[in-house]
Amino acid sequence: MDAGEALAPQKHNSPAKGKGRAAQHAAQPRQIWSIATVDALPLLLAFAMASGAGAYFLAPAEPDFEPVLLAPLAMSILIALGRRFLLPSLLQLCVWLAFGAALGMSSAALRARLVAAPVIVAETGPVMVEGWLSEIETGAKGPRLRIDVHAIAGLTPETTPKTVRLTHRSRLEVSSGRFVRCWGVLRPPPAPSMEGEYDFRRQAWFEQLGGVGYVQGRCRGGTLGAPDGILPDIRMKVAAFRRQLAAHVNIAAGDRAGGFAAALVSGDRSYMRVEDQVALRNSGLAHLLAISGLHMAIVGGLVFYLMRRLLACIEPLALRVAVQKPAAIIALAASLAYLILSGAGVSTQRAFIMLAVVFGAVLFDRAALSLRSFAIAMILVILLQPESVMTPGFQMSFAASGALIATYEAWTARRSASDKVLGSFSYSWASLAVTSLVAGTATAPYALYHFDRLAGLGLLANLAAMPVITFVSAPAAAAALILTPFGYGDLGLRVFGYSLEAILWIVQTCTEQAPGGLSPGKQMPGVSLVLFSAALGLAGVARGIWRWLFVVALSGPAIWLWIAAPAMALHWSASGDVFVRLAGGEVHKIRYIDGDGLSPMRFSTLEPSGLCADWPCILDAEIGRIALPRPDADATACHPRADAAYELVPHALTDTGERSVSCAEPVLWSDVVRTGAITLNTKGAPSKRAAPCKARPWKPCGVETD
């Protein structure tokens, strides 16, 4: 180090590396990776584990359990041999990646068997369901009650699900934590409607949710006490406290934003208006509803900041102990309490694990936010909840966090080498804009794949909302907590409610300006999503020009495959709804008949169209004419318009299956019921028909075929 470097001021709490050296390091072609090998291995292991877990869930058939379970052991032996005999680094890296993939796959296979629980195999008639009400969720048709089952009439203990979810359409007169008795109709968790969509049935298996349905009449309170066992009893008491807290916050925070405040404080969304939830999704602020990384970071970070300042004022302690360590322990305990209080959902557990890694790094004098901490958090989540790899929450949260950590590491290095990084903008405002832009860009492929749309003004909504959340909402919530023992907590909650009213105003304004969001018009292929994910991961660990080369080399083929893929032309879902792409390219939703399945998630915002006011309904679609006869018409009668390319048939054919040759090519409701949906693409070919069933733990054969 020369004298000039020794005397250089240390700016922005980051080490001075010498101005002008960033470009020099980036130009060295042999330094492709931005982190040392000891840091790269955990990150590559995390990516490999995610790939292995994803491969298990996407496999067409259940792999043999014993080879999958023993594969990580075999790979670990190969790693040890490679180090012992000094094999080439590239070969050792390949073995390390294979170990990660095997570990992720074995974790998923093992957990799929550990959580095995009975599932309803067919729709039941009205039956008496008895159990403890553990959670109340918001639903479009009424509150959804999640019940820990005690008994179901007509089912033996061996066939009784552990948990069911019932939609309550009448006025709700029971509360969480109570024993309830409901007359309900149950059916198995539904399969996804379209290929590549989120599989609710698979997620229900891992949540031990064995049936869904609806309540006939109202649920009534029962006389049975708390469930047996200490942990179930504590769980019900926490559920009852959460419900009481949500009810109090809902009133104290005001009529307009009370439900929003209750959802943020307790995780209970049942008091929140459905239209507000839809507006949050359309404006790109739906992440505010999920108790996840943002909420955990605010709670943990605020407690850590306050406790660090408070402990620093205690001179005998501050002179003997690094105050950030006890502050980290207290913040971790507060985050754990928030985890339990908010219901400990999957996204909340994932956020807590990541926060625990951050505070653990503080305790052991490591960098709190680094790609290594990010990798450790991902590894722990995959080991504990491998099924979350397939969820939008896992993919979007880790994509955003990884991209932000990589961006701020590069930005910190840049700030140490230059006086200005975004011109005359202050660091606070520049970081707010960069955070919103980077997080939105990193999560865009996953939003397009799972939801087929982007919020048109999502960046603007986040830029406007995040200062309110950070500088008003979070301090107001903390003030409410501090003032509660003195009887003035409602004052803080009212300010909290005012700040959330401002958020809802921002949401409403952005939704009105961009009501439909941005949609590409066709489903992204799964291969494209894998390529986008690989591009994002490599961009995070590469440096200089290499990160851009990786992004272009992988994103280019992903976009080409997406453009070349055929679009959906007609989809008849198990819900009975028909989705048709007309000749102009616009998709319309037609409520045709009543079914028991799900509509596609990507079309969840579509309102029913008025195209079919008269019957028969003839539509000029992109694949030709489509005829919809009257839903209650005689199925054996030919449609009068024989020039229609396709005709939907809402009832079964005759016993012999005969049909006049003059009729259009039929699309049968019986096939929809059997396969879960019928989809025709723009090439006119069906993309989903009956196929031999290959059983998975969450998809038994002989009951339903996909």
Side-chain angles (χ1 to χ4, degrees):
M1 179 182 293
D2 56 30
E5 278 189 346
L7 298 175
Q10 302 293 312
K11 295 185 178 182
H12 312 297
N13 296 323
S14 58
K17 298 182 180 179
K19 296 182 179 181
R21 292 194 176 187
Q24 176 184 352
H25 287 303
Q28 295 181 11
R30 53 193 177 89
Q31 293 184 352
I32 299 176
W33 309 111
S34 63
I35 47 182
T37 304
V38 67
D39 285 337
L41 289 181
L43 193 62
L44 295 176
L45 176 64
F47 291 155
M49 288 178 62
S51 302
Y56 168 78
F57 292 115
L58 294 175
E62 187 69 13
D64 293 334
F65 183 61
E66 289 78 10
V68 168
L69 201 61
L70 294 176
L73 178 60
M75 292 298 105
S76 62
I77 294 175
L78 290 179
I79 291 175
L81 292 176
R83 290 182 175 275
R84 174 68 178 81
F85 295 103
L86 300 178
L87 295 179
S89 299
L90 181 59
L91 184 58
Q92 291 191 45
L93 179 62
C94 293
V95 176
W96 183 258
L97 294 176
F99 167 73
L103 185 59
M105 181 173 288
S106 63
S107 299
L110 180 61
R111 178 158 167 79
R113 284 158 176 78
L114 291 177
V115 300
V119 178
I120 297 292
V121 297
E123 182 174 332
T124 68
V127 293
M128 179 59 69
V129 179
E130 298 179 339
W132 294 271
L133 180 56
S134 61
E135 188 175 356
I136 302 175
E137 306 169 358
T138 303
K141 298 180 180 179
R144 294 172 177 173
L145 313 183
R146 191 175 288 259
I147 300 173
D148 291 353
V149 176
H150 172 65
I152 297 178
L155 297 182
T156 64
E158 293 76 18
T159 59
T160 300
K162 289 189 174 182
T163 309
V164 297
R165 193 183 73 183
L166 299 175
T167 298
H168 198 284
R169 298 173 179 174
S170 302
R171 186 165 59 92
L172 190 62
E173 297 179 345
V174 292
S175 183
S176 300
R178 290 194 59 185
F179 183 81
V180 296
R181 305 176 77 245
C182 314
W183 278 102
V185 175
L186 294 172
R187 60 177 63 96
S193 180
M194 297 185 71
E195 291 187 45
E197 280 213 318
Y198 176 67
D199 194 342
F200 172 76
R201 179 175 53 182
R202 181 183 59 225
Q203 189 63 30
W205 172 266
F206 285 94
E207 293 179 5
Q208 297 184 319
L209 182 64
V212 297
Y214 59 92
V215 176
Q216 288 192 335
R218 295 180 183 175
C219 289
R220 307 290 183 182
T223 57
L224 195 63
D228 296 333
I230 297 177
L231 290 180
D233 184 25
I234 293 176
R235 186 166 177 262
M236 288 302 108
K237 289 180 179 178
V238 170
F241 178 75
R242 287 182 59 219
R243 186 65 177 175
Q244 294 172 3
L245 176 64
H248 176 76
V249 172
N250 178 48
I251 296 173
D255 294 337
R256 180 66 187 94
F260 193 6
L264 294 180
V265 171
S266 68
D268 188 340
R269 304 184 191 179
S270 59
Y271 290 104
M272 192 172 180
R273 302 175 186 178
V274 175
E275 54 269 25
D276 287 342
Q277 297 188 43
V278 173
L280 283 165
R281 286 196 296 269
N282 292 340
S283 64
L285 290 173
H287 60 87
L288 295 180
L289 280 179
I291 306 297
S292 55
L294 173 65
H295 308 76
M296 276 290 176
I298 290 177
V299 171
L302 190 60
V303 172
F304 177 76
Y305 174 80
L306 293 176
M307 293 308 302
R308 186 178 181 181
R309 294 293 184 182
L310 179 61
L311 294 176
C313 296
I314 305 175
E315 185 176 352
L317 178 66
L319 292 176
R320 292 170 174 81
V321 178
V323 293
Q324 69 269 19
K325 295 188 177 182
I329 295 175
I330 297 173
L332 186 59
S335 302
L336 178 60
Y338 187 47
L339 169 71
I340 298 172
L341 186 63
S342 62
V346 174
S347 60
T348 318
Q349 295 177 37
R350 182 170 58 250
F352 175 76
I353 291 173
M354 294 186 66
L355 197 66
V357 171
V358 170
F359 287 131
V362 174
L363 291 174
F364 293 99
D365 298 319
R366 301 288 184 180
L369 289 176
S370 66
L371 287 174
R372 181 170 54 187
S373 300
F374 167 83
I376 294 172
M378 182 182 287
I379 290 171
L380 291 175
V381 170
I382 296 173
L383 288 175
L384 297 174
Q385 298 171 344
E387 71 277 7
S388 65
V389 170
M390 304 300 293
T391 62
F394 175 95
Q395 296 166 9
M396 298 178 77
S397 63
F398 275 109
S401 352
L404 287 172
I405 291 173
T407 299
Y408 278 99
E409 282 188 349
W411 197 0
T412 300
R414 176 65 178 167
R415 292 174 71 209
S416 68
S418 175
D419 288 327
K420 294 183 180 181
V421 177
L422 289 184
S424 59
F425 287 97
S426 68
Y427 176 73
S428 299
W429 289 104
S431 62
L432 182 63
V434 169
T435 297
S436 300
L437 179 61
V438 171
T441 303
T443 57
Y446 305 97
L448 289 170
Y449 178 80
H450 291 287
F451 310 111
D452 195 43
R453 61 183 179 273
L454 290 175
L457 296 177
L459 177 60
L460 179 61
N462 277 276
L463 286 174
M466 293 317 297
V468 180
I469 289 289
T470 305
F471 300 115
V472 182
S473 300
L481 180 62
I482 295 172
L483 293 174
T484 295
F486 305 99
Y488 297 100
D490 287 358
L491 294 177
L493 288 177
R494 195 67 191 94
V495 177
F496 186 46
Y498 286 137
S499 69
L500 295 183
E501 289 179 15
I503 296 295
L504 291 176
W505 179 83
I506 294 171
V507 166
Q508 190 66 32
T509 302
C510 292
T511 302
E512 290 175 355
Q513 297 300 321
L518 302 176
S519 174
K522 65 167 63 176
Q523 175 74 24
M524 180 193 298
V527 177
S528 295
L529 184 67
V530 172
L531 291 174
F532 281 130
S533 301
L536 184 62
L538 291 176
V541 298
R543 69 164 48 184
I545 191 65
W546 286 99
R547 66 182 57 185
W548 301 111
L549 291 177
F550 282 131
V551 169
V552 172
L554 293 172
S555 298
I559 295 174
W560 180 83
L561 289 172
W562 193 0
I563 294 174
M568 185 280 300
L570 181 145
H571 177 79
W572 197 357
S573 72
S575 65
D577 298 325
V578 176
F579 301 87
V580 181
R581 186 182 301 275
L582 299 184
E586 187 177 359
V587 177
H588 286 261
K589 174 182 178 179
I590 300 169
R591 289 201 178 277
Y592 194 36
I593 60 178
D594 291 331
D596 296 328
L598 294 177
S599 287
M601 184 184 297
R602 61 184 298 213
F603 299 132
S604 59
T605 59
L606 281 183
E607 295 295 330
S609 173
L611 292 177
C612 292
D614 299 321
W615 303 101
C617 181
I618 309 297
L619 302 174
D620 291 321
E622 192 165 338
I623 56 173
R625 282 196 158 182
I626 296 174
L628 284 74
R630 184 182 300 275
D632 57 356
D634 182 4
T636 62
C638 289
H639 195 278
R641 296 294 298 272
D643 58 342
Y646 296 93
E647 179 183 356
L648 274 60
V649 181
H651 299 287
L653 297 177
T654 60
D655 294 338
T656 60
E658 295 179 356
R659 191 174 179 85
S660 172
V661 295
S662 63
C663 291
E665 181 179 348
V667 180
L668 308 178
W669 173 245
S670 57
D671 284 342
V672 175
V673 174
R674 185 173 65 256
T675 64
I678 291 292
T679 303
L680 304 178
N681 59 38
T682 48
K683 296 181 180 179
S687 61
K688 188 173 185 182
R689 292 285 190 182
C693 179
K694 296 182 180 179
R696 305 300 302 271
W698 54 88
K699 188 184 74 171
C701 290
V703 178
E704 182 181 10
T705 304
D706 280 355

